[in-house]
Amino acid sequence: MSSRRPGVLELAVLGILHEAPMHGYELRKRLNSVLGMFRAFGYGSLYPCLKELLRQGLIAEETRPGAKPLAGRKSKIVYRLTAEGKERLQDLLGQAGPAAWEDDGFGVHFAFFGMTEADIRMRILEGRRSRLEERLDGVRAAMSRTRERLDAYTLELQRHGLESVEREVRWLNELIASERKSGPATRWDAEGHEEGSPGGRIG
Amino acid sequence: MSSRRPGVLELAVLGILHEAPMHGYELRKRLNSVLGMFRAFGYGSLYPCLKELLRQGLIAEETRPGAKPLAGRKSKIVYRLTAEGKERLQDLLGQAGPAAWEDDGFGVHFAFFGMTEADIRMRILEGRRSRLEERLDGVRAAMSRTRERLDAYTLELQRHGLESVEREVRWLNELIASERKSGPATRWDAEGHEEGSPGGRIG
DNA sequence: GTTAGCATGTAAGGAGTTACATGATTTT
DNA sequence: AAAATCATGTAACTCCTTACATGCTAAC
């Protein structure tokens, strides 16, 4: 409840721990393999985050039955999501705001779309598309305000940037169309996850 | 001399002020039009940065001859690069290290390639390409370690991420080839910039 | 004369990052 | 027994963001 601002890492950790309990080192690898293209976190980021989540009661240290009562504990510590943690995760995934479609957050939110309700998924996809289209408009406007004469490199950067963003918009369009075909009310996971996910691509 | 870590904003401000003196508000617009696709800075970031650069003597308030001696100064303040500022800019642009090819820095450094020496340009382009290829290897390796079964959305994110990065690598390849054709020792600008930049694309 | 845009700032704080430090376990 | 890699942490710091606050200037 205490108003700590999310940040990508918290969501990512909760999301991954929802799949399975894990210890820090493993978690980091999984983290960077899921989000590898967008971000990479170090231990210096992860462990403080785990500590904080623990303090908030969103995760707990697993106590395996036949475990070792290490006194001078410097052994594996397996974390699992608590009930509050699951709640918090669902809460974060249920919010379709800027945090979910800005550059920082989008990747992580998308990665956990499998646990996200269909209407939220749609709102986030559309939100991101609008955001990118605003950006396109902005840059295009700036370019036609031909006052600003840019050198060849800056121009090339613009060109490449535009192309990349246009490409992402097309991708989003496909995803949105795909989501619409599947109709609303599709949500595969959330609690007990069975294996029956859609076929070829996404839709 | 004091070891303050660069940060994108400092370089961007110095680079833009090198083109022409400007006041804060204008600077910010120019900033966001040049880097619009990658980042957007607010006044809350810009003004403190200007203040700091001023303190370091890298920029100075322009004193136009027929200017207004505003006492309760809340009027335009035009900043220009000092000699130290130009030196610092050349210094920053002369460094071909991680700061120049990681996600954060690359865009800005590239935007000012017009003021960067040919060999540094090459090192930065190649540095970024290596960095991206590492990332591709990492993610591909993680994917073939098929232990990790990912749901459809995570997979789609991976696919799109891979494609984007591959695309950027191809772009870098073209640029690198282009740079090689122009031969080394090309540097258009730095001080008095004449208009004779290359033709069609970049090379 | 009031909305809209130009123009300049500050205080508080957040989300990580960097650099360092150390122990445990497996491989060679 | 040395080297590599697994595993966990902390102190200090940084770059930037958010939210707020204010005044000037042009357009309608």
Side-chain angles (χ1 to χ4, degrees):
Chain A
M1 211 136 273
S2 65
S3 56
R4 233 182 57 77
R5 270 274 222 61
V8 193
L9 191 47
E10 177 180 344
L11 174 55
V13 167
L14 293 177
I16 290 183
L17 285 183
H18 180 265
E19 296 169 2
M22 228 174 278
H23 57 94
Y25 194 87
E26 209 181 342
L27 186 59
R28 188 219 175 202
K29 280 194 308 185
R30 183 101 178 108
L31 211 55
N32 290 338
S33 115
V34 168
L35 308 175
M37 288 298 168
F38 311 98
R39 318 176 118 263
F41 297 98
Y43 299 116
S45 309
L46 180 54
Y47 285 114
C49 175
L50 285 169
K51 199 181 173 186
E52 171 64 16
L53 291 175
L54 197 60
R55 196 193 62 73
Q56 288 180 54
L58 302 178
I59 61 178
E61 303 185 7
E62 189 97 306
T63 320
R64 285 241 186 261
K68 62 277 119 175
L70 261 296
R73 44 158 51 214
K74 199 58 171 281
S75 195
K76 285 194 207 180
I77 301 172
V78 175
Y79 294 97
R80 65 170 175 79
L81 228 52
T82 63
E84 289 95 345
K86 283 181 194 175
E87 217 174 306
R88 175 98 175 110
L89 177 58
Q90 283 305 323
D91 183 47
L92 289 173
L93 290 177
Q95 288 176 227
W101 59 61
E102 287 302 324
D103 287 338
D104 273 5
F106 179 70
V108 196
H109 278 262
F110 189 94
F112 299 122
F113 263 18
M115 302 184 244
T116 307
E117 299 204 44
D119 59 325
I120 303 291
R121 292 201 306 254
M122 189 59 86
R123 299 241 302 278
I124 292 175
L125 291 172
E126 286 171 342
R128 178 141 187 89
R129 186 175 53 179
S130 311
R131 188 66 196 77
L132 293 183
E133 269 162 354
E134 275 169 34
R135 243 185 264 184
L136 288 172
D137 290 351
V139 171
R140 285 192 189 120
M143 285 179 90
S144 62
R145 259 187 273 119
T146 329
R147 296 252 157 274
E148 337 191 2
R149 47 196 200 66
L150 306 162
D151 76 286
Y153 283 112
T154 314
L155 215 65
E156 175 62 18
L157 185 63
Q158 293 279 24
R159 202 194 55 71
H160 179 252
L162 262 154
E163 231 177 79
S164 300
V165 175
E166 281 163 354
R167 218 180 130 267
E168 185 173 345
V169 170
R170 284 199 297 277
W171 180 63
L172 289 168
N173 283 335
E174 282 173 37
L175 289 171
I176 289 167
S178 208
E179 293 271 330
R180 273 201 234 283
K181 258 194 301 197
S182 299
T186 310
R187 177 169 140 206
W188 322 332
D189 195 334
E191 305 292 289
H193 42 82
E194 38 238 80
E195 199 49 83
S197 63
R201 275 281 197 89
I202 272 274
Chain B
M1 211 115 300
S2 65
S3 56
R4 235 182 55 77
R5 271 273 224 61
V8 193
L9 191 47
E10 177 180 345
L11 174 55
V13 166
L14 293 177
I16 290 184
L17 285 183
H18 180 265
E19 296 169 3
M22 228 174 277
H23 57 93
Y25 194 88
E26 209 181 342
L27 187 60
R28 188 220 176 203
K29 278 196 306 186
R30 184 102 176 106
L31 211 58
N32 290 338
S33 116
V34 168
L35 308 175
M37 286 297 169
F38 313 96
R39 318 174 117 267
F41 297 98
Y43 299 116
S45 309
L46 180 54
Y47 285 114
C49 175
L50 285 170
K51 199 180 172 186
E52 172 63 16
L53 292 175
L54 198 59
R55 195 192 62 73
Q56 288 181 57
L58 303 178
I59 62 178
E61 303 185 6
E62 188 98 308
T63 321
R64 284 242 186 260
K68 60 277 119 174
L70 261 297
R73 45 157 51 208
K74 200 58 171 281
S75 195
K76 284 194 207 182
I77 301 172
V78 175
Y79 295 98
R80 65 171 174 78
L81 228 52
T82 63
E84 288 94 346
K86 282 180 195 175
E87 217 174 307
R88 175 99 174 109
L89 176 58
Q90 283 305 325
D91 184 49
L92 289 173
L93 290 178
Q95 290 176 226
W101 59 61
E102 288 302 322
D103 288 338
D104 273 5
F106 178 70
V108 198
H109 278 262
F110 188 94
F112 298 122
F113 262 20
M115 302 184 245
T116 307
E117 299 204 45
D119 60 324
I120 302 290
R121 292 201 305 257
M122 190 59 88
R123 299 241 302 278
I124 292 175
L125 291 172
E126 286 172 341
R128 177 142 187 88
R129 186 175 52 178
S130 311
R131 187 67 197 77
L132 293 183
E133 269 162 355
E134 274 170 33
R135 242 184 266 182
L136 287 173
D137 290 352
V139 170
R140 285 192 188 120
M143 282 178 91
S144 62
R145 258 188 274 118
T146 329
R147 297 247 158 276
E148 336 192 359
R149 45 195 203 66
L150 305 163
D151 75 285
Y153 282 113
T154 312
L155 215 65
E156 175 62 19
L157 186 64
Q158 294 278 25
R159 202 193 55 71
H160 179 253
L162 261 154
E163 231 176 78
S164 301
V165 174
E166 281 163 354
R167 218 180 129 266
E168 185 172 345
V169 170
R170 284 197 298 276
W171 180 64
L172 290 168
N173 283 335
E174 283 173 37
L175 288 170
I176 288 167
S178 208
E179 293 271 331
R180 273 201 233 282
K181 258 194 299 196
S182 299
T186 311
R187 177 167 139 206
W188 322 333
D189 193 335
E191 304 292 291
H193 44 82
E194 37 238 80
E195 199 49 82
S197 61
R201 275 280 196 91
I202 273 271

